[in-house]
């Protein structure tokens, strides 16, 4: 055997050995719309998983948020989608499950760590099957300028009477706009206002489920009263609130010109960077002292498994890790304001995020009333609630009239409400 042949055989043997070693590693690809989170996945989440699971590599491959649904559907149809699918809540992901693109995951060990409310965004209507492991929710409440409160001499309100008394005092002082919110974008009026305070009146999951079953109507007092409360807000929103956009509201608050911001917890990271004053947060005030409190703890993001993926067992290993205490802690601290939906005790470093999540121990959690089942028809209840909330705040539609309009629209296509 010549020297050249020996060398060739040796090289072939080494390449074969190297190829075998590489083949032992399974690579999982994650589809997601959260391109802002690429660094967090690459620097924190993936290294933690790979350290605990040698032999499984993970690649985070996000699409642009506005293009995600279309891109994902195309990939799934072509059979080229990744092993793991980041799931938006409710109907978009339910449709993927019903088409056979997402596997049922209710039997995974990790799913024992989640409540029915946590799983609601990624379960069938009857709750029998779940198709994504919940990752995080966002919580509604009010963020306030603590320096302004101290300057004006305002206490954090617990009841609606105290809330309006605080707004009156801030308005009388004249230094700050009492509350930063506009009605131009409409969704802000519904999401940050109606869905924020509403659960205290319709009793959270009790009212939401009763509406789905047809046992309550949007003209019932528990659904009209939040609109009556919103009708009082316009006196505290500052000049020109009708033309004020969502970014305008953010700027008004972070520049220190407004005392209170009706909020979603997703604002925390942005506000931490932009505001140079001390901030605090309080949950939606209850109607009367001693009343049970409810918070909108809205399911936002989850992770599912491509039913046609080639690495099923490795994908299950990853999903069980997504339901672990380690993942919950890493994710919640990497993205303050996106809270673990698991039952694990998650310690967070950000004080504002910790304040929001602490309300879970004293208040009952619910999700936004329009998101499950009730916005599948035309007129769309979610979009109609945007419009109604903005109108009520501006005073162009009475609370009772808005409720009657929403009820009529829902009853026109949703059988349990007919």
């Amino acid at each position: 055997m010549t020297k050249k042949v020996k060398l060739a055989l040796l090289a072939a043997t080494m390449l074969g050995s190297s190829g075998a070693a590489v083949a032992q590693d399974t690579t999982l690809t994650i589809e997601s719309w959260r391109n802002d989170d690429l660094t967090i996945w690459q620097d924190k989440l993936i290294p933690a998983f790979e350290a605990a699971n040698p032999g499984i590599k993970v690649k985070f491959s996000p699409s642009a948020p506005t293009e995600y649904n279309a891109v994902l559907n195309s990939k799934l149809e072509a059979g080229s989608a990744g092993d793991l699918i980041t799931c938006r809540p409710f109907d978009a992901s339910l449709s993927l499950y019903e088409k056979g693109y997402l596997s049922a995951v209710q039997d995974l060990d990790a799913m024992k760590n989640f409540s029915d409310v946590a799983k609601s965004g990624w379960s069938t209507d009857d709750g029998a099957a779940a198709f994504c492991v919940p990752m995080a929710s966002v919580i509604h409440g009010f963020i306030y300028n603590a320096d302004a409160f101290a300057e004006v001499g305002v206490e954090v309100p617990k009841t609606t009477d105290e809330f309006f008394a605080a707004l009156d005092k801030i308005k009388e002082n004249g230094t700050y706009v009492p509350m930063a919110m506009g009605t131009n974008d409409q969704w802000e009026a519904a999401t940050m206002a109606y869905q924020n305070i509403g659960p205290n009146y319709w009793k959270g999951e009790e009212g939401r489920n009763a509406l789905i079953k047809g046992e309550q109507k949007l003209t019932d007092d528990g659904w009209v009263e939040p609109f009556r409360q919103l009708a009082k807000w316009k006196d505290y929103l500052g000049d020109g609130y009708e033309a004020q956009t969502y970014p305008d509201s953010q700027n008004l608050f972070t520049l220190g010109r407004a005392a209170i911001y009706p909020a979603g917890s997703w604002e925390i990271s942005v506000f931490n960077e932009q505001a140079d004053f001390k901030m605090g947060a309080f949950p939606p005030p209850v109607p009367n002292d001693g009343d049970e409190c409810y918070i909108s703890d809205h399911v936002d993001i989850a992770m599912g498994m491509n039913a046609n993926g080639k690495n099923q067992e490795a994908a299950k290993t990853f999903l069980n890790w997504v339901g672990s205490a380690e993942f919950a802690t890493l994710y919640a601290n990497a993205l303050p304001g996106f809270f673990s939906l698991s039952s694990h005790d998650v310690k967070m470093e950000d004080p504002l995020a910790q304040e929001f999540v602490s309300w879970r121990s004293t208040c009952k959690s619910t999700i936004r009333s329009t998101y499950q089942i009730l916005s599948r028809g035309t007129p769309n209840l979610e979009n109609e609630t945007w419009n109604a909330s903005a109108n009520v705040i501006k005073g162009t539609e009475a609370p009772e009239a808005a409720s009657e309009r929403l009820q009529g629209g829902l009853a026109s296509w949703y059988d349990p409400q007919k």
Side-chain angles (χ1 to χ4, degrees):
M1 185 178 289
T2 67
K3 185 176 181 181
K4 285 185 178 180
V5 172
K6 287 181 179 179
L7 288 172
L9 288 171
L10 178 62
T13 302
M14 291 176 69
L15 283 171
S17 174
S18 175
V22 171
Q24 289 176 7
D25 282 339
T26 298
T27 299
L28 298 173
T29 300
I30 300 174
E31 304 282 359
S32 178
W33 72 89
R34 292 284 303 177
N35 48 16
D36 288 347
D37 300 348
L38 180 60
T39 301
I40 291 166
W41 278 96
Q42 290 178 336
D43 295 350
K44 297 182 179 181
L45 300 175
I46 291 174
F49 172 79
E50 290 181 350
N53 296 276
I56 304 177
K57 301 295 183 183
V58 182
K59 179 183 177 183
F60 186 71
S61 182
S63 307
T66 55
E67 300 170 4
Y68 178 67
N69 287 14
V71 170
L72 177 61
N73 276 281
S74 295
K75 286 184 176 181
L76 288 167
E77 289 169 8
S80 61
D83 306 275
L84 297 158
I85 311 296
T86 307
C87 304
R88 283 177 160 146
F90 300 105
D91 289 355
S93 294
L94 176 61
S95 175
L96 295 180
Y97 172 71
E98 290 176 338
K99 291 176 181 177
Y101 291 134
L102 288 175
S103 295
V105 297
Q106 66 270 11
D107 293 331
L108 289 178
D109 289 343
M111 295 300 282
K112 298 173 184 176
N113 300 325
F114 301 95
S115 69
D116 289 342
V117 173
K119 293 183 284 191
S120 62
W122 305 281
S123 296
T124 51
D125 289 352
D126 61 5
F131 39 85
C132 300
V133 178
M135 287 169 59
S137 71
V138 289
I139 296 176
H140 287 288
F142 295 81
I143 297 176
Y144 66 94
N145 182 330
D147 293 345
F149 268 41
E151 181 183 333
V152 178
V154 174
E155 298 291 328
V156 173
K158 295 181 179 179
T159 67
T160 51
D161 284 346
E162 291 174 355
F163 179 64
F164 285 108
L167 291 170
D168 284 331
K169 193 168 184 178
I170 295 165
K171 184 178 181 180
E172 184 180 350
N173 176 271
T175 305
Y176 303 92
V177 174
M179 195 154 53
M181 198 192 77
T183 57
N184 184 79
D185 294 347
Q186 296 196 352
W187 73 266
E188 190 180 356
T191 306
M192 321 288 249
Y194 187 73
Q195 295 288 359
N196 191 345
I197 68 169
N200 276 329
Y201 296 92
W202 60 69
K203 309 298 183 187
E205 287 295 278
E206 178 184 328
R208 189 182 73 84
N209 286 320
L211 198 63
I212 290 171
K213 295 174 184 176
E215 296 169 355
Q216 289 186 17
K217 296 184 181 299
L218 290 165
T219 48
D220 291 348
D221 199 59
W223 297 93
V224 181
E225 187 59 31
F227 280 134
R228 296 189 184 115
Q229 295 297 317
L230 296 193
K232 305 176 186 178
W233 282 27
K234 63 179 177 292
D235 295 334
Y236 306 103
L237 300 182
D239 296 336
Y241 73 87
E242 300 94 335
Q244 186 173 307
T245 65
Y246 172 56
D248 292 336
S249 300
Q250 292 174 307
N251 290 336
L252 188 65
F253 182 74
T254 56
L255 290 172
R257 293 168 52 199
I260 298 173
Y261 183 91
S265 58
W266 63 83
E267 307 283 8
I268 292 173
S269 296
V270 176
F271 284 8
N272 281 344
E273 292 179 2
Q274 297 181 352
D276 60 1
F277 50 83
K278 182 181 178 183
M279 292 179 288
F282 59 87
V286 293
N288 302 293
D289 189 31
D291 283 354
E292 181 96 64
C293 61
Y294 298 81
I295 54 170
S296 178
D297 189 357
H298 190 69
V299 294
D300 188 69
I301 186 170
M303 186 79 70
M305 183 169 65
N306 183 348
N308 301 309
K310 298 176 181 178
N311 304 300
Q312 299 281 313
E313 291 307 311
K316 290 178 182 178
T317 299
F318 188 86
L319 289 179
N320 275 319
W321 182 72
V322 168
S324 71
E326 180 183 27
F327 177 86
T329 301
L330 286 170
Y331 194 81
N333 281 294
L335 288 165
F338 288 82
F339 304 109
S340 171
L341 282 161
S342 73
S343 57
H344 301 297
D345 183 19
V346 178
K347 301 297 182 185
M348 280 172 290
E349 298 162 5
D350 186 276
L352 202 54
Q354 186 60 50
E355 175 61 33
F356 268 88
V357 83
S358 71
W359 304 338
R360 287 177 172 172
S361 64
T362 54
C363 303
K364 291 184 176 179
S365 292
T366 186
I367 60 175
R368 295 174 199 158
S369 62
T370 55
Y371 270 58
Q372 187 180 35
I373 300 173
L374 299 180
S375 290
R376 291 177 183 169
T378 303
N380 181 291
L381 182 60
E382 166 67 3
N383 293 345
E384 291 295 294
T385 302
W386 294 4
N387 175 260
S389 299
N391 287 349
V392 167
I393 290 171
K394 291 186 292 185
T396 59
E397 189 170 24
E400 292 77 13
S403 297
E404 289 173 6
R405 176 165 66 88
L406 295 182
Q407 175 61 32
L410 181 61
S412 71
W413 64 266
Y414 186 56
D415 286 344
Q417 286 290 343
K418 289 182 178 179

